Amino acid sequence: MTTTVAPAEAKFDLALTEEQQLVQRTAREWARDRVLPIAAEIDENGAIPRELVREMGELGFMGIDVPERWGGAGLDMVSYVLVMEEVNRACASTGVVLGSHVSLATAPLVRYGTDAQKDRFLTPLAKGQWLGCFALSEPASGSDAAAMRTTARRGDGDAWILNGTKNFITNGAFADLTVVFAQTDPAQRHKGIVAFVVEKGTPGFTVGKLEKKLGIRGSDTAQLHFSDVRVPDDHRLGEVGDGFKIALSTLDGGRIGIAAQAVGIARACLEDSLAYAKERHAFGQRIADFQAIQAKLADMATETDAARLLTWKAASLRDRGERHTAEAATAKLFASDVAVRAARECVQIFGGYGYLRDFPAERHYRDAKITEIYEGTSEIMQLVIAEDMLGGGAA
Ligand code: CAA
């Protein structure tokens, strides 16, 4: 018996519009001038200057795909991935702050928020006045997100009471608003999950341990504790039982953002390797003149471009409102692998200097790895892609 896998039917345009090119140029110049010169310092100090986040707000990046009515730039997902590539090419720590805010905090409000919620919460997020985060993972549930233990039970009046701990939360320490998921009835598994927005300073809501990480050291990754946190019902996103689908459809967009981050890191590896290979001499010539180095550079360029095209394809499908769960997973799976490989080759091309903090190669090597883990591991991406082929799949 033979099985054929149908070729992709989706239509998408490879040419960027003038507006998208302008966004790309703006992001490239800003990232090159403002972020790249301090990327090593951000990594070394483990902190991003708040000034950079403010500037991303002023440039419209923090609300790039939010409608103008709610303070956003009113652009599309393709524009978002263009910005993500440029920012991450300069600094993956700054990139993940932007990505978590845009794809994981503003996006569920755009898609599932009421007008009143958008007026109150989305507008300051989109303008970059507030920072957002997304709290799904827990100490005992990462890939198996539906196994969460954080509970939501009815309290007095129309309120809910949240209890539990969330783990690995990017932007968690500084976020003004958290999109949080909780279980109302464990017997119902994913059908009992509900989503809320919780504001910083809500009594019982505290920031716990700050994680020390291998890479993306400039972004904060925090535990969040909820101890009898009273949340009014008008902070609920969607219906009770919709929470899991809100989380996974949000992650469909988030994974496109991480794919773009991986493309940015891979491009940094390529550009830094190319510059070094033209400067460094061995055996009486530039190392760029050796075929062994040329082969590495050619593979990096080819794979980076392929990863970019998969990322654009997934973003374009999302812009058209078409199904993109598998395409987002494909882009993230491939691009993260490319970034890790490019980073390994970058260190190799730099040789002994690649192992030193004085050069960017080792930072790329540490930063690239996370793209294979967060917002769904590569193994979960394979599962999502296979599920789609085998007739399961989702939205
Ligand atoms: N969009 C909308 N709904 C979806 C969906 C999607 N992409 N994928 C599945 N669903 C729906 C299904 O249709 C199903 O609905 P019905 O019950 O109505 O049929 C429901 O969700 C449950 O689906 P599954 O049975 O497939 O769910 P599962 O429990 O087996 O899990 C999974 C599937 C793919 C493994 C999913 O749990 C998953 O993606 N896990 C990884 C989680 C993850 O990415 N975590 C990262 C957290 S964010 C982060 O990294 C932190 C940070 O700050 C950066």
Side-chain angles (χ1 to χ4, degrees):
M1 189 171 129
T2 55
T3 303
T4 51
V5 177
E9 288 159 12
K11 302 163 284 296
F12 75 104
D13 196 346
L14 292 175
L16 299 180
T17 63
E18 270 184 32
E19 186 173 59
Q20 288 164 342
Q21 289 176 46
L22 177 65
V23 170
Q24 185 183 46
R25 233 179 4 257
T26 306
R28 183 168 298 170
E29 285 167 12
W30 179 77
R32 184 197 59 208
D33 298 344
R34 298 286 299 147
V35 187
L36 188 59
I38 56 168
E41 192 182 315
I42 287 173
D43 177 63
E44 199 63 39
N45 297 343
I48 292 164
R50 298 291 293 176
E51 187 71 359
L52 288 188
V53 180
R54 193 184 57 73
E55 288 177 27
M56 287 195 287
E58 283 170 5
L59 287 163
F61 298 166
M62 301 292 274
I64 187 152
D65 57 352
V66 173
E68 286 168 281
R69 174 177 169 194
W70 287 292
L75 299 172
D76 55 12
M77 189 78 182
V78 170
S79 301
Y80 167 60
V81 299
L82 295 172
V83 171
M84 278 293 279
E85 177 180 333
E86 297 306 327
V87 175
N88 282 285
R89 187 270 168 257
C91 169
S93 292
T94 308
V96 73
V97 170
L98 174 67
S100 300
H101 173 92
V102 170
S103 22
L104 300 183
T106 68
L109 272 159
V110 170
R111 290 186 151 219
Y112 303 103
T114 61
D115 280 0
Q117 289 171 334
K118 289 178 184 172
D119 288 341
R120 180 164 169 195
F121 306 120
L122 182 59
T123 303
L125 285 172
K127 289 182 175 170
Q129 294 161 343
W130 285 10
L131 188 64
C133 72
F134 177 86
L136 177 70
S137 300
E138 298 188 358
S141 66
S143 292
D144 186 6
M148 69 180 64
R149 293 184 190 161
T150 296
T151 57
R153 62 177 166 80
R154 281 290 187 178
D156 56 308
D158 78 338
W160 292 85
I161 307 296
L162 304 191
N163 277 289
T165 296
K166 295 290 179 181
N167 230 21
F168 299 126
I169 311 306
T170 306
N171 294 348
F174 298 104
D176 300 280
L177 182 126
T178 301
V179 177
V180 62
F181 300 86
Q183 181 58 269
T184 59
D185 178 3
Q188 293 200 54
R189 218 176 121 85
H190 72 266
K191 290 190 163 63
I193 294 171
V194 58
F196 296 100
V197 290
V198 176
E199 289 168 88
K200 185 179 184 172
T202 304
F205 175 37
T206 52
V207 175
K209 184 174 170 241
L210 285 180
E211 307 296 353
K212 292 179 182 158
K213 299 169 298 194
L214 174 71
I216 53 162
R217 295 187 61 247
S219 71
D220 69 277
T221 302
Q223 266 199 347
L224 299 179
H225 299 298
F226 297 82
S227 176
D228 286 333
V229 176
R230 188 179 177 282
V231 181
D233 193 51
D234 65 7
H235 285 42
R236 174 169 47 80
L237 283 183
E239 298 302 322
V240 175
D242 285 352
F244 196 59
K245 289 186 182 180
I246 293 176
L248 292 191
S249 62
T250 298
L251 283 167
D252 285 343
R255 288 166 186 168
I256 301 171
I258 300 303
Q261 172 176 54
V263 172
I265 295 170
R267 202 180 103 209
C269 294
L270 173 62
E271 291 177 0
D272 290 345
S273 298
L274 191 59
Y276 185 76
K278 287 201 263 184
E279 264 175 29
R280 174 77 179 176
H281 284 70
F283 304 101
Q285 58 182 345
R286 304 180 315 170
I287 64 169
D289 296 324
F290 290 107
Q291 284 190 348
I293 300 294
Q294 290 171 2
K296 287 186 195 301
L297 294 172
D299 282 351
M300 284 160 86
T302 306
E303 293 184 1
T304 304
D305 207 26
R308 179 181 295 115
L309 291 179
L310 284 176
T311 305
W312 286 12
K313 175 184 170 186
S316 170
L317 287 176
R318 190 165 164 103
D319 279 336
R320 289 160 192 251
E322 290 183 36
R323 199 163 171 271
H324 57 280
T325 297
E327 288 79 1
T330 305
K332 182 180 182 291
L333 175 67
F334 185 76
S336 58
D337 190 40
V338 165
V340 168
R341 221 172 12 249
R344 194 187 66 208
E345 295 296 35
C346 181
V347 172
Q348 198 67 17
I349 289 170
F350 273 74
Y353 291 112
Y355 209 67
L356 303 184
R357 290 265 174 121
D358 303 331
F359 293 85
E362 64 86 35
R363 173 164 50 85
H364 302 327
Y365 193 69
R366 290 184 288 105
D367 287 348
K369 182 61 198 170
I370 191 62
T371 64
E372 292 186 318
I373 299 173
Y374 59 18
E375 300 202 30
T377 61
S378 294
E379 292 73 13
I380 291 293
M381 296 306 97
Q382 289 169 327
L383 194 146
V384 169
I385 296 161
E387 178 78 1
D388 185 70
M389 277 191 291
L390 293 167

